[in-house]
């Protein structure tokens, strides 16, 4: 699977779109927003630039990226007027995601976004905010040398650049048949393959950003993770286990082929705190100022649905592009798949809590 050409969140604004099914991701970002905004404020106080350049990596197609841009603008403007007593700088925002991302949905929302900024100023002039799209993989260079002051990435870096190639033997057959991620039945070579791919990708990410950020520039990264050395837990890996079970049920119903399930694997990795610290230290371009782990609080859903249904909608908005391509299924089968998945999540939650973990990293360019 060519991730760069195929993987994207569900575009548009329809009922299964990422724009309407990304509240869990926003909740994660909001939970640590104080860390993000304090880091931006501290950076701004240190350098006081006339123009501040900020990149949002993995911006996707929903409203979340514009919400955080608004927070960035308000934080810097408040710092300018109340602390530095200077005019606010110009803001240059660079929105990055893979070329298949639905950037148009974001761009269509910009007139209303700028209008909202003006209205919040009492109808006066809007702040000097310039927003551009930067398609491409963040596992490599995207921006000129020393061009960025601040980099933000939320719910993106747990996605790998590709499915680890060593999950397949010399004959092209999977060594992890029946599983789409690391499972209790997976050979030890599977977790090693995923970890190796994470090491390669995360190191390349850090090296690329180190060339693009100015000295003293900051990065705030929010990504899914795990506790300790065990890859199989009742957290993020368990959601993949339930998706594997859901796909196996479709095999038993004759909706998809077993051979296709055996060959389907997630390009995902939930690192541990120790693995993250190790890669940051080995790459050497950044000081890790902060690394916190948290759980996103479960909350009521305004659609009157179960937690499992909400999770299923979220996962569908993320995974439908790769599932449809790999299995060649239509919307009806996809509806059935995620109805099963939501039910399994609810059944498991009734037995024991599922506790996915998230990390927030604050890094400073040395």
């Amino acid at each position: 699977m060519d991730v760069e050409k195929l993987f994207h969140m569900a575009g548009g604004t329809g009922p299964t779109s990422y724009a309407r099914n990304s509240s869990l991701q926003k909740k994660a970002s909001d939970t640590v927003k104080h860390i993000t905004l304090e880091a931006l404020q501290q950076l701004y106080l240190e350098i006081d630039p006339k123009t501040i350049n900020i990149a949002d990596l993995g911006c996707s197609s929903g409203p979340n990226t514009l919400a955080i841009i608004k927070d960035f603008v308000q934080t810097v403007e408040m710092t300018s007027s109340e602390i530095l007593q200077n005019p606010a700088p110009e803001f240059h925002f660079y929105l990055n995601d893979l070329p298949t991302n639905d950037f148009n949905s974001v761009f269509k929302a910009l007139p209303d976004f700028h209008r909202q900024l003006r209205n919040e100023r009492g109808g006066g002039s809007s702040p000097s905010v310039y927003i551009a799209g930067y398609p491409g993989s963040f596992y490599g260079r995207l921006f000129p040398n020393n061009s960025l002051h601040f980099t933000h990435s939320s719910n993106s870096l747990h996605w790998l650049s590709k499915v680890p190639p060593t999950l397949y033997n010399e004959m092209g057959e999977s060594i992890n048949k029946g599983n789409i991620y690391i499972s209790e039945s997976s050979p030890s070579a599977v977790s090693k393959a995923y970890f190796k791919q994470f090491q390669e990708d995360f190191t390349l990410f850090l090296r690329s950003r180190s060339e693009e950020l100015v000295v003293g520039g900051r990065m705030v990264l929010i990504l899914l993770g795990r506790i300790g050395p065990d890859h199989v837990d009742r957290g993020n890996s368990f959601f993949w286990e339930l998706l594997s079970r859901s796909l196996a049920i479709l095999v038993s119903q004759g909706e998809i082929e077993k051979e296709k399930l055996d060959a389907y694997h997630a390009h995902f990795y939930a690192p541990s705190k120790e693995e993250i610290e190790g890669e940051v230290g080995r790459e050497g371009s950044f000081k890790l100022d902060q690394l916190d782990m948290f759980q996103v609080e479960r909350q009521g859903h305004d659609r009157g649905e179960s937690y499992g249904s909400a999770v299923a909608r979220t996962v569908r908005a993320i995974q439908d592009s790769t599932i449809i391509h790999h299995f060649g299924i239509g919307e009806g089968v996809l509806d059935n798949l995620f109805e099963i998945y939501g039910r399994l999540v609810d059944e498991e939650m009734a037995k024991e809590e599922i506790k996915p973990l998230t990390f927030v990293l604050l890094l400073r360019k040395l």
Side-chain angles (χ1 to χ4, degrees):
M1 178 177 68
D2 189 332
V3 170
E4 192 164 349
K5 290 183 179 179
L6 295 173
F7 181 58
H8 59 85
M9 307 297 106
T13 56
T16 62
S17 66
Y18 185 81
R20 292 179 59 179
N21 296 286
S22 54
S23 60
L24 294 176
Q25 291 89 333
K26 187 175 190 305
K27 181 67 173 176
S29 180
D30 286 347
T31 300
V32 295
K33 185 164 64 174
H34 63 288
I35 295 174
T36 304
L37 298 183
E38 286 170 10
L40 177 61
Q41 182 183 56
Q42 186 60 41
L43 168 72
Y44 182 65
L45 288 171
E46 289 175 9
I47 62 176
D48 189 18
K50 302 301 181 187
T51 298
I52 187 163
N53 298 325
I54 299 174
D56 187 20
L57 307 183
C59 66
S60 193
S61 58
N64 294 353
T65 190
L66 294 182
I68 195 65
I69 285 177
K70 180 182 173 184
D71 291 332
F72 289 162
V73 171
Q74 291 176 341
T75 296
V76 171
E77 287 201 312
M78 181 274 295
T79 304
S80 295
S81 62
E82 297 183 10
I83 300 177
L84 296 177
Q85 298 182 339
N86 287 337
E90 284 191 348
F91 297 88
H92 294 183
F93 289 102
Y94 307 108
L95 307 185
N96 158 260
D97 213 310
L98 294 175
T100 48
N101 182 56
D102 182 13
F103 285 98
N104 280 340
S105 291
V106 180
F107 296 153
K108 288 177 182 178
L110 288 180
D112 286 341
F113 173 74
H114 286 289
R115 191 176 302 113
Q116 184 181 28
L117 290 179
R118 285 195 302 271
N119 291 340
E120 290 179 356
R121 286 184 159 204
S125 61
S126 62
S128 298
V129 177
Y130 302 94
I131 300 173
Y134 259 71
S137 172
F138 51 52
Y139 293 121
R141 288 293 301 274
L142 291 165
F143 307 100
N145 287 341
N146 303 309
S147 61
L148 298 178
H149 300 106
F150 193 87
T151 296
H152 175 261
S153 179
S154 182
N155 288 284
S156 296
L157 275 164
H158 41 254
W159 298 112
L160 301 174
S161 66
K162 58 186 174 183
V163 174
T166 50
L167 289 182
Y168 303 92
N169 62 23
E170 295 84 356
M171 304 295 293
E173 299 173 338
S174 170
I175 64 171
N176 197 31
K177 291 182 179 180
N179 302 306
I180 62 177
Y181 185 55
I182 305 168
S183 175
E184 287 183 350
S185 63
S186 299
S188 61
V190 171
S191 59
K192 291 177 182 177
Y194 273 103
F195 178 50
K196 180 182 178 183
Q197 190 62 53
F198 166 75
Q199 287 180 301
E200 292 177 1
D201 286 346
F202 195 50
T203 296
L204 180 56
F205 176 87
L206 293 173
R207 185 179 304 129
S208 300
R209 304 294 82 77
S210 73
E211 295 171 355
E212 296 164 353
L213 279 162
V214 300
V215 172
R218 305 295 204 278
M219 279 205 302
V220 174
L221 311 177
I222 303 166
L223 68 156
L224 300 178
R226 72 181 200 278
I227 296 177
D230 293 336
H231 291 85
V232 179
D233 58 17
R234 204 169 173 86
N236 291 300
S237 71
F238 194 64
F239 283 122
W240 290 108
E241 171 66 24
L242 295 181
L243 187 56
S244 288
R245 294 183 196 176
S246 303
L247 288 164
I249 290 173
L250 289 191
V251 171
S252 70
Q253 295 175 346
E255 298 282 10
I256 61 175
E257 299 172 13
K258 184 179 185 302
E259 292 75 14
K260 288 192 174 183
L261 174 56
D262 287 341
Y264 184 69
H265 301 301
H267 63 288
F268 171 92
Y269 187 72
S272 67
K273 176 177 180 287
E274 293 76 17
E275 289 170 348
I276 292 171
E277 290 173 334
E279 296 312 309
V280 172
R282 270 187 284 275
E283 196 280 326
S285 297
F286 292 91
K287 179 179 182 297
L288 185 57
D289 286 339
Q290 189 169 351
L291 172 54
D292 293 342
M293 178 185 292
F294 65 97
Q295 293 181 20
V296 177
E297 292 182 7
R298 288 178 58 195
Q299 55 187 359
H301 302 287
D302 54 11
R303 305 186 191 192
E305 63 187 356
S306 69
Y307 176 71
S309 295
V311 171
R313 286 191 296 101
T314 300
V315 174
R316 177 174 181 168
I318 296 168
Q319 285 291 298
D320 72 347
S321 63
T322 53
I323 288 176
I324 289 172
H325 172 80
H326 181 84
F327 292 101
I329 59 177
E331 289 294 319
V333 178
L334 205 62
D335 290 343
N336 186 23
L337 170 64
F338 285 102
E339 181 179 337
I340 294 168
Y341 181 68
R343 185 172 69 247
L344 291 181
V345 172
D346 283 330
E347 289 174 358
E348 289 295 333
M349 286 291 291
K351 299 175 186 175
E352 183 184 348
E353 190 87 3
I354 304 171
K355 298 180 178 179
L357 299 172
T358 305
F359 288 117
V360 58
L361 288 67
L362 171 57
L363 300 111
R364 181 194 309 257
K365 164 72 181 299
L366 297 174

